[in-house]
Amino acid sequence: NRKSSRVRRNFDELVKISDYISIHAPLMPETHHLFNAEVFAKMKPTAYVVNTARGPIVEEAALAAALDKGQLAGAALDVMEKEPPAGSPLLGRDNVIVTPHTSFYSEESLVELQTKAAEEVVRVLSGQAPRNPVNPDALKSAQHRGATL
C-alpha cells in the first residue's frame, strides 16, 4: 500500500504557489470576479492565468492592472467578460492570448461533436433516455409520469 502524496491546499495557498492557474469553474455568484485585484496581488510575477470557463470569473480591469504592474506574467483567455471583447484593455498585449471561445476546435473534435449529437438524437427518437440531459430533474419527472424515454 503506497501512501498518497497528495497535499490539500486552500485557494489562497494555490494562488501564491502556482506557476499556471487554469480556470474550470461555472459562473455563479460565488465565482463572479473570483480572480480580482486581491488575488492577482498574491500571485507570483512569473505566473500565468488561463480561463476557458466563463469570462466574468476574471475581472478584466484588475487583470490588466496586474499585468501592467508586473504582478503576473501573462494570461490566455478563451472567454471574456463581454463578448465580443471590443475595447477590452487586454487586447493587443504581447503577454495575453485571446481566442474566440473556440479553443476546443480541431477537425477531430468537430467530427466527434457532430457524431455525438447525432447519436443522442437517435437514442431519444428510439425511446432511450439521453446520456447527458441538460435538465435531469425534468427527465426524471417525465419518466415518473410514464413518458417513454
Side-chain angles (χ1 to χ4, degrees), residues 41-60:
K42 294 175 185 176
M43 292 178 70
K44 294 168 148 185
T46 55
Y48 290 85
V49 172
V50 178
N51 187 8
T52 59
R54 295 289 177 244
I57 294 174
V58 173
E59 185 179 356
E60 287 182 19

Side-chain angles (χ1 to χ4, degrees), residues 83-143:
E83 293 180 2
S88 170
L90 297 169
L91 296 177
R93 293 173 177 257
D94 290 338
N95 58 350
V96 176
I97 297 171
V98 178
T99 59
H101 201 51
T102 57
S103 63
F104 80 95
Y105 182 79
S106 68
E107 292 298 323
E108 295 82 4
S109 67
L110 190 56
V111 169
E112 181 182 0
L113 178 71
Q114 293 168 339
T115 301
K116 285 183 176 181
E119 288 171 348
E120 282 299 282
V121 169
V122 170
R123 283 180 64 80
V124 172
L125 291 177
S126 63
Q128 299 176 41
R131 284 192 178 101
N132 301 297
V134 173
N135 188 343
D137 293 335
L139 181 62
K140 288 176 190 171
S141 176
Q143 289 170 331

Side-chain angles (χ1 to χ4, degrees), residues 10-88:
N10 67 34
F11 181 74
D12 282 340
E13 288 177 298
L14 284 173
V15 166
K16 289 176 186 174
I17 66 171
S18 296
D19 294 314
Y20 298 91
I21 296 177
S22 185
I23 303 168
H24 304 272
L27 179 60
M28 304 181 324
E30 300 83 12
T31 61
H32 184 267
H33 286 179
L34 177 64
F35 286 83
N36 55 36
E38 181 182 336
V39 169
F40 297 135
K42 294 175 185 176
M43 292 178 70
K44 294 168 148 185
T46 55
Y48 290 85
V49 172
V50 178
N51 187 8
T52 59
R54 295 289 177 244
I57 294 174
V58 173
E59 185 179 356
E60 287 182 19
L63 176 57
L67 290 166
D68 291 342
K69 294 175 189 174
Q71 292 176 318
L72 61 152
L77 308 168
D78 189 47
V79 290
M80 304 289 286
E81 273 192 275
K82 293 182 177 133
E83 293 180 2
S88 170

